Amino acid sequence: MAELKNNPQVCPYNLYAEQLSGSAFTCPRSTNKRSWLYRILPSVSHKPFESIDEGQVTHNWDEVDPDPNQLRWKPFEIPKASQKKVDFGLHTLCGAGDIKSNNGLAIHIFLCNTSMENRCFYNSDGDFLIVPQKGNLLIYTEFGKMLVQPNEICVIQRGMRFSIDVFEETRGYILEVYGVHFELPDLGPIGANGLANPRDFLIPIAWYEDRQVPGGYTVINKYQGKLFAAKQDVSPFNVVAWHGNYTPYKYNLKNFMVINSVAFDHADPSIFTVLTAKSVRPGVAIADFVIFPPRWGVADKTFRPPYYHRNCMSEFMGLIRGHYEAKQGGFLPGGGSLHSTMTPHGPDADCFEKASKVKLAPERIADGTMAFMFESSLSLAVTKWGLKASRCLDENYHKCWEPLKSHFTPNSRNPAEPN
């Protein structure tokens, strides 16, 4: 029987051994991330990187003056292939922190109408959590390939090369975190089962290619917020075998085990956390990925929609499909909203009136809908593209709260309950 070595003097099948480290060598075993890749050629076999145009990718959080207003975007427009072919168009919407010190995040919108042909991308700055909203993504990686559809997410971790095939005009959201990795939240008194279960996360299907590329294959790298490109003569997806715990993965949101209030009051949205990227402060995240899935609402004598709120966290929301319960109009699939640190937000006037008067009974909530939230302890700055160039900013968002009126009854502490 052959001895098991990570990097033998001569690898089986005459492959090259290459380690991909996602953490410092000396991290505790519980957080140490690395994989060994066995390749036809090592990834160092490329020509020098050269700077290329960043387009709408940025990490400059001082492009425009701060704006504490509630912001909402209409669905982001996908370029028409007949006008301009775009294969993985990243547009930075907002963010905070510093790439060079490995602390912070960015939220991007990706818009594309064609597949990446003889091109791949990797991110030296952080992890990508990708949320497709329109169109399927066939993602090729050094670990294999995976099909990611709307209502699924995938995470491409720092340094991993990937290429994407699309089949129609395609749109989605990306949460990028610097210096940390996404992980499952602790369950505490919930117990051993609940929320997103580890067994439901899937790694890529085994696949590799041994392909020469006449004219050169382009490897695009995001490094310190800038884009660079290098040419090489072979496909980067020439990993014949691998082992380790540092991989891309995907997750189907329908598998989320929902925990909810079964007596009274509206549970805090943290109960819907799928993945978290922790900060150094216990209980405080650089970013949480939270969903609002189909579920039962049974809370008694309770205003069931999300409550009015001012938050020390920043909340970016997106909608994959359906109609979000707190705002049935205006908040559309493929759009988004940002409620910044301590900026008030909550149900629109129509939602408040209906939910205050309805006779309560067990009911299904959000069937056919999937909304999500990127929540962060950082104060997010919106980019120039987000405020102006996207042309999708809804200037009338604030008007959804204007019809709210006083219902104060100073002479009656206990108003009549709905019939």
Side-chain angles (χ1 to χ4, degrees):
M1 181 176 178
E3 294 182 8
L4 299 178
K5 296 184 175 70
N6 289 326
N7 55 328
Q9 184 178 16
V10 178
C11 291
Y13 304 102
N14 292 304
L15 297 170
Y16 289 86
E18 177 179 290
Q19 184 174 202
L20 179 62
S21 295
S23 63
F25 292 140
T26 51
C27 276
R29 286 200 175 203
S30 61
T31 58
N32 207 297
K33 304 292 184 184
R34 90 286 181 264
S35 287
W36 280 95
L37 314 180
Y38 301 95
R39 328 180 56 110
I40 297 170
L41 274 176
S43 58
V44 74
S45 300
H46 63 79
K47 293 178 172 60
F49 282 99
E50 296 180 358
S51 178
I52 61 173
D53 181 20
E54 284 92 35
Q56 302 298 337
V57 176
T58 185
H59 68 295
N60 180 3
W61 311 129
D62 298 311
E63 287 184 331
V64 295
D65 291 333
D67 186 350
N69 285 302
Q70 303 95 346
L71 300 176
R72 183 166 70 185
W73 289 269
K74 301 171 186 177
F76 296 96
E77 297 179 6
I78 307 171
K80 298 295 183 183
S82 58
Q83 299 173 351
K84 182 182 180 182
K85 288 190 174 183
V86 180
D87 63 6
F88 185 57
L90 282 178
H91 303 74
T92 308
L93 190 69
C94 57
D98 179 60
I99 291 175
K100 294 180 182 179
S101 63
N102 286 325
N103 180 52
L105 66 85
I107 295 173
H108 311 278
I109 304 299
F110 71 88
L111 307 166
C112 47
N113 54 37
T114 192
S115 299
M116 299 176 74
E117 185 175 350
N118 290 334
R119 285 157 56 90
C120 75
F121 189 99
Y122 77 98
N123 186 2
S124 293
D125 297 332
D127 290 7
F128 277 165
L129 189 157
I130 302 174
V131 184
Q133 184 272 321
K134 181 180 186 297
N136 296 340
L137 307 177
L138 180 56
I139 303 179
Y140 301 91
T141 78
E142 296 166 284
F143 297 79
K145 59 184 178 180
M146 53 187 175
L147 180 67
V148 184
Q149 306 175 74
N151 215 49
E152 295 181 319
I153 63 166
C154 74
V155 173
I156 309 291
Q157 303 196 75
R158 189 179 186 181
M160 297 176 180
R161 299 180 178 190
F162 66 94
S163 182
I164 298 179
D165 278 358
V166 299
F167 309 95
E168 61 179 297
E169 293 178 352
T170 303
R171 173 175 57 209
Y173 312 83
I174 295 179
L175 172 59
E176 178 187 12
V177 293
Y178 312 143
V180 292
H181 297 300
F182 292 103
E183 57 186 280
L184 291 170
D186 297 325
L187 293 181
I190 291 175
N193 305 288
L195 310 187
N197 290 307
R199 63 174 294 178
D200 293 319
F201 288 81
L202 304 177
I203 62 174
I205 296 171
W207 169 85
Y208 75 93
E209 63 178 2
D210 181 8
R211 183 166 65 92
Q212 301 292 318
V213 184
Y217 194 105
T218 302
V219 178
I220 301 169
N221 176 214
K222 189 169 89 68
Y223 175 73
Q224 295 188 3
K226 303 292 185 181
L227 296 184
F228 299 84
K231 294 285 188 179
Q232 61 187 52
D233 295 326
V234 297
S235 166
F237 306 122
N238 60 1
V239 178
V240 178
W242 63 269
H243 74 86
N245 63 358
Y246 190 53
T247 71
Y249 54 88
K250 77 168 192 172
Y251 176 75
N252 194 320
L253 301 180
K254 73 178 183 181
N255 293 323
F256 188 81
M257 178 183 165
V258 181
I259 306 291
N260 205 3
S261 172
V262 294
F264 60 88
D265 276 351
H266 189 288
D268 293 331
S270 52
I271 204 69
F272 303 128
T273 301
V274 180
L275 292 168
T276 184
K278 295 178 180 178
S279 75
V280 295
R281 291 180 289 165
V284 180
I286 295 291
D288 286 329
F289 173 60
V290 179
I291 62 173
F292 302 95
R295 59 199 183 275
W296 280 97
V298 298
D300 194 28
K301 298 181 180 180
T302 294
F303 182 79
R304 289 181 180 174
Y307 42 73
Y308 293 98
H309 195 203
R310 289 180 295 162
N311 194 356
C312 64
M313 310 284 275
S314 300
E315 302 179 14
F316 173 85
M317 284 197 62
L319 185 60
I320 299 171
R321 64 188 186 192
H323 303 277
Y324 179 55
E325 62 206 84
K327 296 180 180 68
Q328 292 288 330
F331 184 49
L332 301 174
S337 68
L338 177 65
H339 301 140
S340 297
T341 303
M342 291 303 175
T343 293
H345 54 278
D348 61 23
D350 185 55
C351 176
F352 177 83
E353 293 296 330
K354 289 180 179 178
S356 299
K357 297 174 182 177
V358 69
K359 184 176 181 179
L360 295 179
E363 62 178 333
R364 291 291 297 170
I365 297 173
D367 278 339
T369 292
M370 184 60 75
F372 70 88
M373 178 168 64
F374 299 152
E375 186 176 54
S376 175
S377 59
L378 304 180
S379 184
L380 303 182
V382 181
T383 63
K384 187 182 297 183
W385 181 84
L387 285 180
K388 300 175 183 177
S390 71
R391 301 190 303 278
C392 297
L393 195 64
D394 185 352
E395 303 290 349
N396 296 314
Y397 183 29
H398 66 282
K399 293 182 180 179
C400 75
W401 293 290
E402 286 183 351
L404 288 168
K405 58 185 179 182
S406 172
H407 295 278
F408 181 47
T409 53
N411 297 319
S412 176
R413 178 179 178 182
N414 299 311
E417 295 182 5
N419 293 324

